[in-house]
Amino acid sequence: MEAQVHIKPTIYSWSSVIFGQWASVKLTSAALALQVENAIEIASDPSADRTLNSQALDFIAQLPSDPESWRVCLTLFVRDPRCSEFVRHTCLDVLNNAIRSGSLGVQTLNAVRQNLLAYAQGTYKPLDTGLPSVDSIHLQNKLAQTLTSLFVYLYPSEWLSFFRDMLDLTAFAGSSARENAAGTVFFLRVLSQIHDEIADVFLARSPHERKKSSELKDLIRERDAKVVAGSWQEILSQWRAKDSTVTDICLVVVGRWASWTEISLIITPTLRDLLLELVISQSNGPAVSRETALTTFTEILRKKMSPAYKLELIDFLKIREVIAHLIASPALADLRATSQYDTDLAESVAQLANHSLSDIVKAIESAQDQDSVMVQGVSHLKGFLPLVLRFFSDDYDEICSTVIPCLSDLLTLFRRKEKSSVVIHEQSIAMLGPVLDAVVAKMRYDETSSWGNEDAQTDEAEFQELRKRLHVLQQAIAAVDDTLYQDKISSVVISTFENFKRGGTQVDWRDLDLALHEMFLFGELGLKSGGLYSKTKPVTPAAERLIAMMFELVECDVASSPHPAVQLQYMEICVRYYQFFDANPQLISTTLERFILFVHHDHVKVQTRSWYLFARFIKHARHHLGDIAQTVIQALSDLLPIKAEIPDEVSDNSDMSSEENQQTPSARFDSQLHLFEAIGCVCSARGVPVENQVVYIRTVITPLFSDMEMHLSPAKNGDDLAVMQVHHLIMALGTLARGFSDWTPASITSSASPPANQVSEEFSRTSEAILLALESVNINTDVIRAAARFSFSRLVGVLGSRILPQLPRWIDGLLSRTSSKDEMALFMRLLDQVVYGFKTEIYDILNTLLTPLLQRVFAGIAEPVTGTDDEIQLAELKREYLSFLLVILNNNLEAVLVTEANQAGFANVISTIEHLAKDPSDFPTAKLAFTVLTNMVTKWGGPDVQTKAPEPTLPGFDRFMMERFSPLCWALPSQPNFDTRDAQGKQAMGEAAGLQKAIYAKTGEQYLSHLRNTELSGMGMDEGTMDDYLRVLSNSDAKAFKQYFQGLVQRSKR
C-alpha cells in the first residue's frame, strides 16, 4: 500500500551504516528508506558483525531526534510487501514519538491518520470474510498506541469520527454485524489503550496532562460513550458463545471504562443480562469467561458514587443473587472437599463479595438512623454476611484472606457506631457471634496440615501470618463486645481441656493447639491492667477468667499431650502468665517437672525453644523454688557439655527458614546458654544457703575450667575448633554469672542485692580463668575478645568491686593493638558502667589505667579510614571516648584527669576534644565535644562570678578556657563546608552557645573584654554586631542566647 505522505527527496543521511562512517550525502526517499530498513535489520540480527551492529544501534537511536525521520518510518510501516516485524515495530515507535512530541502540525497529523486508518482497514477489515493476515499482538498493541496518540491531538476538533471509524473495523464490508474477529479484537485494543492514556490512575501525569485527559473524557461522555457501550453489547451478543478471547478482552475493557464513564450509559439492562448470563449459565460447565465477568462486576462496583447509588447498583446488578448462585454451583459446593475444587473461581467470587460488603458498610456508615440508606444497607448486610462468612471459612487460606478486609470494615463500623446507633447496636448483637465463631474456627489447623514437617514450612509460615490477621479481627470484636469475646474463648478453652481430661490422647492435637493459642492471645485482655492479681484477687473479670483457664491447664495436665506443638504452647503460656505461679506457688513443682522433660525433647524446635522458656520460667519463679538447685543441675547435666563447631559460612550467609536457623551450630549454642542462665537463677534462689550456692557454682564451673585448660594449648597454636571451644566456654561462664545475680552497681531502680562474699570470691576464679584465656590465645583473638567482653559485663554484677584490681588486665586484653574501633567503642561503653557503678572506689585504679587506656583510644582514632564501615566505627569510637570523659566529669572524678600520673596526657585530651569540636563532617560528635568542654568549665572554672575576679579550681584555667575553648565556638561554623541548614549542625551550635554562657558565668567581665579586644575583633566583626553580641551574652538567659547565636551564625554564612 502506498503512503499518502510525500517523502522529501532531500533528507540527509544520518549515518552510512554500510560503510560504518558518518556522512552528509543527500539520498532519494527510496534509498533512505532502504538504509533505515537495513540499519534496523542489522541491529536486530544477533549474528551481525559487532562493530556494524553497534553503528546500526547508534543510527537507530538518532532517528527520533531528526524531525523528518517519521516520514521514512511511516513509509516502511505501511509498505507492501511488508517489512519484517522488528522493522515495522521500530518504525511505529519512531512515528509515535514524533506524534507525542507535539512537533507535527494538524495537517501532517491528519495525513498520518489517513495512512494508518487506511492500513488498519486494509489489514483488519478485508473485503471478503476470509481470515485476514493480521499483525502480531505486539504490533497490534503498538499500532493501537500510535492511533491513541493521534486520538489525543485530533479527537477534540479534527477526528470526530474516531470511534465510529474504529468500530467499523468490527464488521465485514457490507455488513453491520460485529462478525469480524480480527477487527473486533483490534477495536477493543484501541479502547484499552485510550483508557490507559487518559484514565489510568496509576500513571503519573503533569497538571497539563491531567487537564487534557479530563477534557477528553468529557468529550467521550458527551459524544460517543453510548456508541461505545452499545458496541460492547453487540460484541458480547455476537461472541460470548463463540470465542472466549474476544469475550474476555471485551469484558476487561468494560471493567476499565466503567471507572470513569457515566454508569447509566454503559451499564444497561441488556449489558447486565449479558454479564449475568456469562456468570450463571456457565456455573455448571467450563469457566470460559466466567471469572473475567466476575472481575468486571468487581471493577464496576469500584466506581466512585454516592452510597445510595452504590446500593442501587448492587441491587441492579443482582450481585447477591450472583454470589449465592455460584456458591450453590457444583464447582463451589459439590466439589468443595475434593481436589477438583475451583479455587480460582472461589477467589473471584470472594473478591466480589468483599467489595460488595465493603461498599454496603460505607453506605451504612454515612447514613443516619432509620433513613432509607440505613434501612436498605442493613437489609443488604443481612443478605451478604452469610455469603462472606462462607468464603471466610473456606479451607484455602488465600480465599479466606480475600474477605478479611470487608469483615474488618464491618467490625470498625460496629465499634464506631454501636453506641450511637440503635440499628447498628441491634445488628452487632446479631452478627458478632457468627463472625467470632468463624474467626475462632479459622484459627484451627486444618485436617491436612502437619506441624514441624520440613516440607511444610512455607505453609506453616503463611498460616501463622493468617493467624495474626485473624487476631486483629478478634481484637476488633472484643473492642465492641468484650463479654461475648470472653465467653467464647473461655468456653473453647475450658471445654477443650475438659475433653482432654476425659479422653486424653484421643483429643485432636489441633483442638488443643487452638485452645492454647486462644488462651495465649487472651492475655492481651486479661493482662490489660498490668497483671493478673491485685492483693491476691483478680484485677478484672478477664483476669479472673484467665486464672480459671490456668488452673484447668495445670490440673488437666495438658502438658502430657504427646504433640510437640501443644507442649511448646504450654511452655509459652506458663512463661507469659508467670504471675499465676507467683500467686499459686504450689503448682510450680509440677510445671517445672514438665519443663525438665521438654528441655530433653527430641524435636529440635521444641528443645531449643524450651531452653529459652525454661530460663525465663526459672527466673520468674526463682524466689519460690527453694533448694532444688542440685536436682536441676543433675537433670540438666547431660545438656551442659559444650561442643563447639566451626560455623559454615555458606549456610550462615544464605537465606534459611527460622527452623533451619535453629539447627545451625551457632543457634544451638545460643540456646544452650539459656540453660547456664537458668542454673544461675536456681543456685541463687532465696532458699539456697550460701555454702550450698558455692558448692553448686563449683559443680558447674569446674568442668568448664577443665575443658578450657584442655583446649587452651591447641587454641594458642591456631586450632580454629579449639579457639571456638574456648569462646563458647567463656560465654557459658559469663551467662552463668548473669543468671546468678540481677544486681547492678549503683542502680537506683533494681531491688536486687549483691551476692554474698563467698559467692563473689568463687566467681573471681571465673574472671581469672577468662583473663588467662584472653592473655594466652594470640590467634583469632577477636573471637576470644568478643566472648571475654560479653562475660566482663556480666561478671560485674557478681564480683562487685572485686573486679577493679583486674581492670588493667581486662584493658590489656580487650584493647590490644589488633582491636578494631568497634571493639574499642564497645569496651568504652562497658567502662562507663564500671566508672558509674564504682565511682566511690575506682579513683585509684582509674588514676593508674587512664593514660594507657586513652593512648590506645587515641591510636584507634588516628588510624586511617579504609571504608564506609570503618568510618561508622570511627565515629562511634569518638563518641564513646567523649562519653567516657563525660562519665568521669559527671561522677566527680575530674581530678583524675590532671593528677601527676595523667598530667602529661591531659594536653592530648584537650587537643583531641578541640579537633572533634571543629569537625563539620560529624555534627553529633562535635555537639558532644562542646558538652564535654562545658562540663570542664563547670568543674574547674570555680564559682560563678558577679563582680569579683575569677577563682578557678585549677590555676590559670580561667585564661585557658577563654583562649582555647571560646574560639572553638566560631571555629566550627567557620569551616567552608559547614551547612547552616543541617539540623544537627544547628544543635552543635546550640551546645557552643552553652559553652560561651558557661565561660561567662565563671569569668564575667574578663570574658567580655577578651571577646571585644581579641576574639571577635580578630574575626573582623563590626562594632555594632559586637556590641549586640556581648549584650545578649551578658544579659540574656541561656535559651535566648542560644537562639541568638544560631541565628547570627546562619546570617554570617549567607
Side-chain angles (χ1 to χ4, degrees):
M1 182 182 297
E2 293 295 330
Q4 298 177 17
V5 176
H6 177 64
I7 305 297
K8 295 183 179 179
T10 57
I11 303 177
Y12 286 95
S13 166
W14 297 279
S15 172
S16 181
V17 175
I18 301 302
F19 299 100
Q21 60 184 4
W22 295 98
S24 298
V25 295
K26 295 180 179 179
L27 298 175
T28 65
S29 58
L32 183 57
L34 179 62
Q35 189 180 43
V36 171
E37 182 179 6
N38 287 338
I40 298 174
E41 293 286 8
I42 292 171
S44 64
D45 185 1
S47 63
D49 177 78
R50 182 173 295 181
T51 302
L52 203 59
N53 182 271
S54 177
Q55 291 177 347
L57 288 171
D58 291 340
F59 172 76
I60 294 171
Q62 294 185 44
L63 286 177
S65 63
D66 188 284
E68 299 294 330
S69 62
W70 65 269
R71 295 179 185 273
V72 178
C73 290
L74 176 59
T75 300
L76 287 171
F77 176 73
V78 300
R79 192 185 72 187
D80 190 10
R82 294 179 176 180
C83 303
S84 70
E85 181 172 328
F86 190 83
V87 171
R88 299 173 71 226
H89 193 283
T90 304
C91 290
L92 267 183
D93 194 52
V94 173
L95 177 60
N96 186 54
N97 287 333
I99 296 171
R100 298 184 74 87
S101 69
S103 60
L104 305 185
V106 173
Q107 184 177 358
T108 303
L109 289 173
N110 274 313
V112 174
R113 156 197 163 188
Q114 292 168 9
N115 276 264
L116 292 183
L117 183 57
Y119 171 84
Q121 290 170 339
T123 303
Y124 298 102
K125 185 175 181 176
L127 296 177
D128 55 49
T129 58
L131 292 175
S133 178
V134 298
D135 300 317
S136 67
I137 293 176
H138 297 297
L139 206 55
Q140 287 186 49
N141 288 333
K142 197 65 186 179
L143 178 58
Q145 183 186 47
T146 307
L147 287 168
T148 300
S149 298
L150 285 171
F151 163 84
V152 170
Y153 285 97
L154 298 179
Y155 181 68
S157 58
E158 296 292 325
W159 199 354
L160 278 65
S161 62
F162 176 86
F163 288 103
R164 288 185 291 276
D165 291 342
M166 294 298 109
L167 184 59
D168 184 59
L169 300 175
T170 64
F172 290 113
S175 171
S176 61
R178 311 301 174 194
E179 298 174 325
N180 180 10
T184 301
V185 169
F186 184 72
F187 166 68
L188 294 171
R189 293 191 193 282
V190 172
L191 294 184
S192 183
Q193 285 288 345
I194 288 174
H195 166 82
D196 293 343
E197 178 68 30
I198 67 175
D200 189 345
V201 295
F202 298 106
L203 184 66
R205 295 181 177 84
S206 66
H208 172 73
E209 290 171 334
R210 287 197 296 272
K211 181 182 178 183
K212 180 72 173 177
S213 297
S214 180
E215 291 172 350
L216 286 170
K217 284 187 284 188
D218 288 341
L219 285 173
I220 292 172
R221 296 184 189 107
E222 180 183 339
R223 297 176 184 170
D224 294 306
K226 194 170 184 179
V227 172
V228 172
S231 73
W232 297 334
Q233 297 176 21
E234 294 169 355
I235 291 169
L236 290 175
S237 298
Q238 180 69 38
W239 293 103
R240 69 186 186 282
K242 297 178 182 179
D243 192 317
S244 62
T245 300
V246 177
T247 304
D248 283 349
I249 295 175
C250 184
L251 290 171
V252 170
V253 170
V254 172
R256 289 184 174 186
W257 277 55
S259 65
W260 55 274
T261 313
E262 177 60 42
I263 198 73
S264 62
L265 294 177
I266 60 174
I267 307 301
T268 61
T270 302
L271 183 59
R272 177 204 60 190
D273 292 343
L274 287 169
L275 292 175
L276 290 174
E277 181 184 342
L278 285 167
V279 171
I280 294 175
S281 66
Q282 299 176 26
S283 60
N284 296 319
V288 182
S289 299
R290 179 178 55 210
E291 283 153 35
T292 310
L294 285 170
T295 303
T296 302
F297 271 121
T298 303
E299 291 298 324
I300 293 171
L301 284 180
R302 289 179 186 270
K303 184 174 179 62
K304 295 180 180 179
M305 59 181 67
S306 69
Y309 286 146
K310 182 61 70 75
L311 294 179
E312 290 180 8
L313 180 62
I314 291 173
D315 268 340
F316 175 76
L317 294 176
K318 301 181 179 179
I319 301 295
R320 192 187 67 78
E321 291 83 349
V322 168
I323 297 173
H325 183 89
L326 290 172
I327 287 175
S329 69
L332 298 187
D334 299 346
L335 302 177
R336 182 175 179 181
T338 71
S339 59
Q340 286 79 40
Y341 182 52
D342 193 341
T343 55
D344 291 335
L345 174 62
E347 192 165 354
S348 296
V349 182
Q351 288 175 350
L352 182 59
N354 178 69
H355 283 289
S356 300
L357 187 61
S358 289
D359 286 335
I360 292 167
V361 168
K362 290 174 185 175
I364 295 174
E365 193 166 20
S366 66
Q368 300 296 322
D369 249 13
Q370 306 302 334
D371 70 8
S372 59
V373 173
M374 175 68 80
V375 173
Q376 188 180 10
V378 168
S379 175
H380 279 311
L381 193 59
K382 293 177 181 178
F384 273 90
L385 183 59
L387 306 179
V388 168
L389 292 180
R390 150 63 182 87
F391 294 108
F392 181 78
S393 61
D394 199 282
D395 290 340
Y396 288 86
D397 294 344
E398 298 85 353
I399 298 170
C400 168
S401 298
T402 303
V403 296
I404 287 179
C406 70
L407 287 177
S408 179
D409 291 342
L410 176 63
L411 295 174
T412 301
L413 169 70
F414 287 161
R415 179 173 56 82
R416 289 177 178 173
K417 304 194 72 172
E418 193 265 345
K419 293 182 179 179
S420 61
S421 169
V422 175
V423 175
I424 299 301
H425 176 71
E426 292 173 351
Q427 296 309 312
S428 69
I429 293 174
M431 296 180 181
L432 281 178
V435 174
L436 180 57
D437 290 343
V439 172
V440 173
K442 195 61 189 175
M443 283 277 194
R444 185 182 184 272
Y445 280 95
D446 61 46
E447 298 299 331
T448 62
S449 60
S450 59
W451 188 93
N453 189 336
E454 291 186 6
D455 297 334
Q457 289 180 17
T458 301
D459 292 341
E460 172 70 17
E462 290 175 351
F463 179 63
Q464 294 304 327
E465 191 62 33
L466 175 63
R467 273 186 162 181
K468 293 178 183 177
R469 299 183 67 188
L470 296 174
H471 175 47
V472 173
L473 294 180
Q474 284 193 170
Q475 289 176 307
I477 294 171
V480 179
D481 190 343
D482 64 339
T483 302
L484 172 69
Y485 172 73
Q486 292 180 41
D487 289 344
K488 175 64 179 179
I489 302 304
S490 296
S491 174
V492 169
V493 173
I494 299 297
S495 62
T496 304
F497 289 169
E498 290 177 348
N499 289 339
F500 178 78
K501 188 176 182 179
R502 290 192 298 269
T505 56
Q506 295 179 1
V507 176
D508 195 320
W509 71 267
R510 297 171 182 84
D511 295 324
L512 281 174
D513 174 82
L514 172 64
L516 292 171
H517 182 69
E518 290 289 5
M519 185 175 172
F520 186 88
L521 298 179
F522 194 85
E524 294 194 6
L525 189 62
L527 299 175
K528 197 172 183 180
S529 299
L532 291 175
Y533 295 93
S534 176
K535 298 179 180 179
T536 71
K537 292 185 178 181
V539 291
T540 61
E544 186 175 4
R545 289 177 183 263
L546 187 53
I547 292 168
M549 295 182 211
M550 287 298 297
F551 274 115
E552 287 290 330
L553 175 75
V554 178
E555 292 172 359
C556 293
D557 197 18
V558 175
S560 64
S561 168
H563 199 278
V566 175
Q567 296 165 351
L568 199 54
Q569 286 270 38
Y570 172 85
M571 290 185 287
E572 297 278 3
I573 287 173
C574 289
V575 170
R576 183 171 197 187
Y577 305 130
Y578 67 90
Q579 294 173 344
F580 170 80
F581 294 99
D582 282 340
N584 301 278
Q586 73 278 6
L587 301 176
I588 291 178
S589 58
T590 303
T591 306
L592 194 58
E593 289 174 5
R594 287 298 179 185
F595 270 88
I596 294 293
L597 289 176
F598 295 151
V599 297
H600 292 86
H601 206 286
D602 55 0
H603 194 291
V604 63
K605 185 176 180 179
V606 177
Q607 185 185 63
T608 53
R609 180 65 178 170
S610 70
W611 293 349
Y612 165 74
L613 295 171
F614 176 68
R616 289 279 306 278
F617 185 77
I618 288 291
K619 191 168 186 177
H620 293 312
R622 66 196 299 179
H623 299 309
H624 303 291
L625 294 179
D627 192 358
I628 63 168
Q630 186 173 2
T631 304
V632 172
I633 293 173
Q634 290 175 351
L636 301 181
S637 59
D638 60 318
L639 300 174
L640 297 181
I642 293 173
K643 185 178 179 181
E645 296 180 45
I646 301 298
D648 185 350
E649 294 184 4
V650 175
S651 65
D652 283 355
N653 293 331
S654 62
D655 293 333
M656 294 189 296
S657 69
S658 58
E659 189 160 329
E660 288 173 327
N661 272 322
Q662 291 171 353
Q663 301 177 35
T664 62
S666 59
R668 180 177 174 82
F669 172 68
D670 289 342
S671 297
Q672 188 181 18
L673 287 177
H674 295 303
L675 296 177
F676 287 94
E677 183 176 3
I679 288 175
C681 290
V682 170
C683 293
S684 61
R686 291 174 181 172
V688 182
V690 173
E691 57 273 17
N692 287 5
Q693 292 183 18
V694 173
V695 172
Y696 299 149
I697 294 170
R698 288 177 182 171
T699 302
V700 178
I701 66 176
T702 299
L704 299 179
F705 287 168
S706 301
D707 198 357
M708 186 183 296
E709 184 178 7
M710 183 173 63
H711 285 88
L712 273 180
S713 180
K716 293 178 187 178
N717 296 325
D719 187 324
D720 289 341
L721 185 59
V723 170
M724 189 59 64
Q725 182 74 11
V726 173
H727 166 275
H728 285 13
L729 292 167
I730 293 174
M731 295 277 286
L733 290 169
T735 305
L736 179 68
R738 177 173 62 182
F740 205 96
S741 176
D742 291 332
W743 176 69
T744 302
S747 173
I748 60 175
T749 58
S750 175
S751 59
S753 56
N757 289 334
Q758 301 95 309
V759 172
S760 296
E761 189 64 36
E762 201 61 37
F763 275 108
S764 293
R765 296 174 55 220
T766 299
S767 179
E768 186 66 33
I770 295 173
L771 284 171
L772 179 62
L774 192 59
E775 294 163 348
S776 300
V777 181
N778 52 19
I779 296 176
N780 286 334
T781 50
D782 57 331
V783 176
I784 302 300
R785 285 197 301 267
R789 189 169 53 248
F790 170 90
S791 295
F792 172 81
S793 64
R794 287 147 180 84
L795 285 168
V796 171
V798 291
L799 292 180
S801 59
R802 281 183 172 81
I803 204 168
L804 298 182
Q806 295 178 335
L807 267 184
R809 294 175 64 194
W810 281 104
I811 291 173
D812 286 339
L814 295 176
L815 294 183
S816 69
R817 290 186 179 87
T818 60
S819 295
S820 67
K821 299 178 182 65
D822 189 45
E823 288 183 79
M824 292 184 184
L826 289 170
F827 187 64
M828 293 292 290
R829 198 174 301 148
L830 293 177
L831 281 181
D832 290 349
Q833 300 172 13
V834 173
V835 172
Y836 173 76
F838 302 106
K839 52 191 169 187
T840 59
E841 305 159 273
I842 201 172
Y843 183 88
D844 291 336
I845 296 293
L846 190 60
N847 186 44
T848 303
L849 60 82
L850 184 63
T851 294
L853 169 66
L854 294 182
Q855 285 175 346
R856 297 188 187 185
V857 175
F858 294 156
I861 292 176
E863 288 177 1
V865 175
T866 57
T868 303
D869 291 343
D870 203 28
E871 187 175 350
I872 294 172
Q873 292 180 9
L874 175 61
E876 188 66 24
L877 177 58
K878 290 175 181 177
R879 286 193 280 272
E880 290 301 331
Y881 158 67
L882 293 172
S883 296
F884 178 66
L885 295 178
L886 271 179
V887 169
I888 290 175
L889 294 168
N890 290 336
N891 289 284
N892 300 317
L893 295 169
E894 65 276 2
V896 77
L897 294 170
V898 291
T899 61
E900 183 177 352
N902 300 311
Q903 184 67 51
F906 185 64
N908 286 336
V909 172
I910 296 299
S911 61
T912 307
I913 299 172
E914 289 176 330
H915 172 75
L916 298 178
K918 295 187 292 186
D919 184 3
S921 66
D922 188 358
F923 287 132
T925 301
K927 175 188 174 183
L928 196 56
F930 280 118
T931 303
V932 173
L933 294 174
T934 302
N935 272 263
M936 287 183 172
V937 169
T938 303
K939 293 293 183 182
W940 291 321
D944 291 355
V945 300
Q946 301 298 327
T947 57
K948 59 184 180 180
E951 299 176 2
T953 56
L954 286 181
F957 192 72
D958 52 337
R959 299 301 308 170
F960 185 83
M961 57 188 179
M962 286 190 290
E963 295 171 0
R964 293 285 295 273
F965 292 180
S966 180
L968 296 173
C969 300
W970 283 100
L972 178 61
S974 298
Q975 301 292 327
N977 55 341
F978 180 86
D979 186 359
T980 58
R981 297 167 298 180
D982 192 296
Q984 292 181 325
K986 190 174 181 180
Q987 291 176 355
M989 287 297 90
E991 290 298 321
L995 174 60
Q996 295 174 79
K997 286 293 290 183
I999 296 174
Y1000 172 73
K1002 304 301 181 184
T1003 57
E1005 289 296 328
Q1006 285 190 16
Y1007 185 41
L1008 299 179
S1009 177
H1010 167 80
L1011 288 173
R1012 180 181 294 279
N1013 299 327
T1014 305
E1015 188 173 323
L1016 299 182
S1017 59
M1019 291 167 47
M1021 185 178 290
D1022 62 82
E1023 286 291 332
T1025 304
M1026 195 183 307
D1027 290 341
D1028 193 41
Y1029 185 90
L1030 297 178
R1031 177 184 58 78
V1032 178
L1033 173 62
S1034 58
N1035 296 329
S1036 300
D1037 60 18
K1039 182 178 180 181
F1041 179 68
K1042 172 183 174 180
Q1043 294 173 343
Y1044 172 81
F1045 181 67
Q1046 289 171 333
L1048 182 61
V1049 168
Q1050 196 165 16
R1051 291 192 297 273
S1052 68
K1053 295 292 288 186
R1054 291 175 181 169

